[in-house]
Amino acid sequence: MARSLSLFPHNTTRGIGVVPVPIFVALIAIFDVILPTSVAASWAFNPLLVFATLQTLFLFGTSVVVAYISLKSYLSGGSRTILLLGSGTLAWGFASMVAAWLLGPPGGPNIGVTISNSGALFASLFYIASAATTIRASSSRDSKRRKSKLLLAYACAVGFLAALTVFALLGATPAFFVPGAGSTLLRQVVVAAALFLFAASSLLFMRLYHDSRSGILFWYSMALALTTIGLAAFYFGRTVGDPIAWTGRIATYLGGIYSLVAIWSAIRGSHDGLANSQ
Amino acid sequence: MARNKTGILELDEMLRGGFMDKDAVMVAGSAGTGKTTLALEYLVNGATQFGEPGIYLTFEQLPDQIYRDAENFGWDLRKLEVENKLRVVCTSPDLLLDPEGEEQLLGETIKELRPRRMVIDSLNHLEMYVPRGDLRKEAYRILMYIKTRGISPLVIWEAQQGTESSYAVTQTGMSFLIDCLVLLKFVEINSSMKKALVIMKMRGSDHDKHLREYEITAHGVRVVAPFSGYEGIITGTPHRSLTQEVAGAWDDAFTRTKHKQ
C-alpha cells in the first residue's frame, strides 16, 4: 500500500484546488456587472515594475520549470503530447513576461497587450494540439532526432514571439488596444479564440484525468482552467490594471502555482491511479 | 591519424572513427557479454570492408565451434581463410609462452597473410599458465611482438561481473599496456538485463564517454542509445536521477491512459 506524503487526502486537496475557479468566475462576473467603466478606470492600478516582476516570477518562471521537465520527458519518452505541451508552456510564459516588461511607455500599453494576447493564442494552439494527441491512441514515439525536434519546437515557440515583439515595437502589427477607446475588435477575436482553445485544452486534459486520476493531470488541467479565466478577464476588462484585470492576473498566477503543484505531484510520484493500484 | 574502423557504425562514431592504428585494444567483460562476437566482427569487417587481413588467435574454442558460431552471424570464416584474408589459429597458451613461441606459432602466418589486425582470445588463458605477477611481462612481450610487425592487437579479457571487478582490468596492472579499453557489462534496468558498452580509455584520442546499450543481433553487434537518465550503471546499481524520475512521471501522466486504450 502506497503511503501518501501529503497532509490531506488527495480528494481533499483536489477539492480545495477547484474552489478558486468558481470564485474567480464569480468575481469577474460581479465586477463586470457592478463596475461602470469610469469607476473601473479610476480604480486602475498598474505599477509596471511590480506587474512585470509578478509576470516573470509566476508565469515565466513556472513555465521554464514545466518546459524543462517536458524537455527531459520528451527526450527520454518521445511523446508528442509532451513536446507540444512544453512548447505551449514556454510560449505562454515568454509572451507573458515580455508583454509585461513592454506594457509601459514609450510604446504605450498596445505593444504589451499585442504580445500578451497574440502569445496567448499562439500558446493555446500548442496546448490544443497537445491535448488533441491524447484523444486518440497513438503508439508513435519517435526515437530519432528527438533533440533536433525539441530544439525546433522550442525555438519556434520563442522565435515566433521574439519576431512578434520586434514587429510590435516597430509598429508593424495591427492595434490591439487603443488608449481611451479600449480593446479593438481584433483583440477581442484573438482573446476569444485563445480563451476557447485554453478552455478546450483544459477540458481534454481533465477528461484524461478522469481516466487516470493522476494528480499531475488534475493540477495541470486546473492551471489551464485558471489561465482561461485570466484570458476571460482580458476580454471583460475595461482598462489595463482595473479590478477585472487584476482578478484575471491573480487567476493566471495561481495557474502558474498550480503547474508547479503538478510538478510536485510528479516528484512525489503520487498519482492517484498508481496509489490505487498498489 | 590512421584509424582501424570496426565496421560497427555506432561504435566507430564512439571511437571518433575507429581504434587508433597499432593501439593495443582490450575488450573486457563478463561471460556472455559478446566479447568474442565483437572481436570476430572487428576482424571480419576489417577483412571484407577495409582490406585489412586479420588473425584470430584463440586458446578457448576449437575451430569448428568458431566457424559454426560465426556462421550464425553470416560470417563465412572458411571462405575468408581461402581468400587469404583471415586465419583462425587455435593453440595452447604454453606454446605462445615458450621463448620464441610467438614467432614459431605466428611468424609464418604473418609473412603469408600480412595481417593488419589480430585478436587474442583471451588473456585469461595466458594468466593460467604464468606465475602470479608475470602476466604483465608476458602480455607486454606478446603485444610488442604483434605491434612491431605492424599489426593492431585486440585482446579479450574476461572480467567478473560486479562493481570492483569492472576495474579488475586495471587491477591486473596491465592498464599501462593497453591503449584503449572497451568495457562490456550486464546491467539490470527495470527488471530486465541489458548490455552496456563504454569506452573506458582511449589514449591520445577523444572518444564518447557515454554508456551505451548494445545488442547482439543476427548480424553481430549493434550499439543502441546511451543509457540517458540513469546513474550508477558502472557500479551495478543503476537508478534514475530525480529529474528523470519526475520526467518519467510527467510522461506517464499525459500518455499512460492513451496507451491503455
Side-chain angles (χ1 to χ4, degrees):
Chain A
M1 178 71 76
R3 283 188 62 188
S4 170
L5 296 175
S6 59
L7 290 172
F8 303 103
H10 294 315
N11 286 344
T12 308
T13 51
R14 288 174 200 176
I16 293 169
V18 175
V19 170
V21 174
I23 290 177
F24 282 118
V25 171
L27 278 173
I28 290 171
I30 291 166
F31 284 137
D32 188 50
V33 170
I34 66 167
L35 271 185
T37 304
S38 58
V39 176
S42 68
W43 285 8
F45 173 70
N46 208 34
L48 294 177
L49 188 63
V50 173
F51 175 57
T53 305
L54 289 172
Q55 294 280 107
T56 304
L57 277 177
F58 286 101
L59 299 185
F60 180 68
T62 54
S63 82
V64 167
V65 176
V66 173
Y68 176 71
I69 293 298
S70 300
L71 174 153
K72 299 295 279 185
S73 182
Y74 176 71
L75 287 179
S76 61
S79 160
R80 278 175 295 183
T81 306
I82 300 290
L83 176 67
L84 293 163
L85 183 85
S87 306
T89 303
L90 194 61
W92 171 239
F94 185 78
S96 301
M97 180 186 69
V98 173
W101 287 102
L102 294 175
L103 199 61
N110 179 55
I111 292 174
V113 169
T114 301
I115 296 165
S116 171
N117 296 170
S118 304
L121 179 59
F122 183 59
S124 69
L125 292 170
F126 280 109
Y127 281 123
I128 195 67
S130 172
T133 61
T134 67
I135 295 172
R136 291 182 61 192
S138 164
S139 58
S140 171
R141 280 174 169 250
D142 295 345
S143 60
K144 291 178 183 172
R145 298 190 294 276
R146 276 185 197 161
K147 273 187 186 169
S148 50
K149 284 178 184 175
L150 180 82
L151 191 68
L152 183 69
Y154 277 23
C156 172
V158 174
F160 174 82
L161 291 163
L164 179 76
T165 303
V166 171
F167 283 120
L169 285 169
L170 294 172
T173 51
F176 274 59
F177 187 86
V178 180
S183 299
T184 63
L185 179 63
L186 175 64
R187 184 196 187 199
Q188 289 177 5
V189 170
V190 167
V191 170
L195 193 154
F196 172 76
L197 294 176
F198 264 97
S201 309
S202 173
L203 288 172
L204 286 170
F205 284 129
M206 189 55 84
R207 171 184 167 273
L208 204 61
Y209 162 71
H210 279 291
D211 290 338
S212 71
R213 314 306 290 177
S214 157
I216 297 169
L217 283 171
F218 173 80
W219 291 106
Y220 204 78
S221 56
M222 290 306 298
L224 289 177
L226 287 165
T227 307
T228 308
I229 293 169
L231 290 173
F234 281 159
Y235 198 78
F236 291 104
R238 312 286 200 273
T239 187
V240 177
D242 71 3
I244 295 178
W246 273 104
T247 305
R249 286 172 183 178
I250 293 167
T252 56
Y253 300 154
L254 191 61
I257 293 169
Y258 274 28
S259 64
L260 290 186
V261 177
I263 300 272
W264 175 242
S265 292
I267 291 171
R268 287 186 323 191
S270 64
H271 307 180
D272 276 358
L274 182 61
N276 291 340
S277 69
Q278 290 177 336
Chain B
M1 187 71 71
R3 300 268 181 170
N4 294 329
K5 286 179 185 283
T6 65
I8 302 164
L9 291 179
E10 304 85 355
L11 181 57
D12 284 334
E13 281 175 20
M14 292 175 75
L15 294 162
R16 307 293 184 249
F19 297 122
M20 305 270 278
D21 194 31
K22 314 281 188 310
D23 268 7
V25 177
M26 176 179 276
V27 176
S30 59
T33 48
K35 300 180 296 297
T36 298
T37 305
L38 192 149
L40 270 177
E41 188 166 0
Y42 167 70
L43 284 182
V44 169
N45 288 344
T48 56
Q49 295 179 25
F50 310 117
E52 296 183 1
I55 296 175
Y56 180 68
L57 176 67
T58 177
F59 313 118
E60 196 161 73
Q61 300 174 81
L62 297 171
D64 283 349
Q65 265 181 289
I66 297 163
Y67 296 131
R68 181 201 62 199
D69 294 347
E71 265 179 29
N72 289 335
F73 296 104
W75 307 325
D76 190 344
L77 301 188
R78 285 196 176 88
K79 183 173 170 235
L80 290 174
E81 287 193 299
V82 170
E83 291 171 351
N84 226 21
K85 291 177 178 174
L86 184 81
R87 283 287 183 281
V88 177
V89 179
C90 290
T91 187
S92 168
D94 51 355
L95 289 177
L96 192 66
L97 291 169
D98 276 350
E100 304 296 320
E102 63 269 35
E103 182 59 34
Q104 290 169 14
L105 195 65
L106 300 169
E108 202 59 37
T109 306
I110 289 172
K111 275 182 198 161
E112 187 186 337
L113 195 68
R114 303 174 71 84
R116 297 287 311 280
R117 303 177 178 206
M118 183 166 170
V119 167
I120 300 178
D121 189 1
S122 67
L123 275 189
N124 303 72
H125 289 83
L126 283 181
E127 190 186 27
M128 293 191 299
Y129 283 80
V130 295
R132 193 176 178 82
D134 280 4
L135 181 62
R136 278 200 303 176
K137 190 176 71 182
E138 291 299 333
Y140 176 77
R141 186 174 61 84
I142 294 165
L143 287 174
M144 281 305 114
Y145 172 82
I146 297 168
K147 281 182 162 191
T148 52
R149 275 146 188 83
I151 304 167
S152 302
L154 185 152
V155 296
I156 288 174
W157 176 259
E158 185 171 316
Q160 300 298 310
Q161 176 85 21
T163 308
E164 299 81 12
S165 54
S166 297
Y167 301 94
V169 179
T170 52
Q171 287 167 7
T172 60
M174 285 193 296
S175 57
F176 81 99
L177 290 178
I178 300 300
D179 303 299
C180 178
L181 174 58
V182 179
L183 181 67
L184 310 180
K185 190 172 170 63
F186 285 115
V187 290
E188 184 188 343
I189 304 274
N190 296 334
S191 302
S192 66
M193 292 303 283
K194 294 183 184 294
K195 294 188 178 88
L197 178 152
V198 65
I199 299 162
M200 298 281 283
K201 162 187 176 181
M202 194 171 179
R203 199 174 275 158
S205 171
D206 179 36
H207 59 89
D208 189 334
K209 279 85 177 176
H210 288 101
L211 257 161
R212 287 180 182 265
E213 184 181 353
Y214 71 97
E215 298 165 347
I216 307 294
T217 70
H219 305 290
V221 175
R222 191 172 77 93
V223 181
V224 204
F227 284 100
S228 57
Y230 285 92
E231 296 168 350
I233 289 178
I234 283 285
T235 58
T237 53
H239 57 275
R240 295 170 98 184
S241 61
L242 176 64
T243 312
Q244 213 60 38
E245 285 287 351
V246 174
W250 196 250
D251 182 60
D252 278 352
F254 286 95
T255 57
R256 189 175 50 170
T257 313
K258 180 171 59 171
H259 291 145
K260 273 184 185 172
Q261 289 169 347

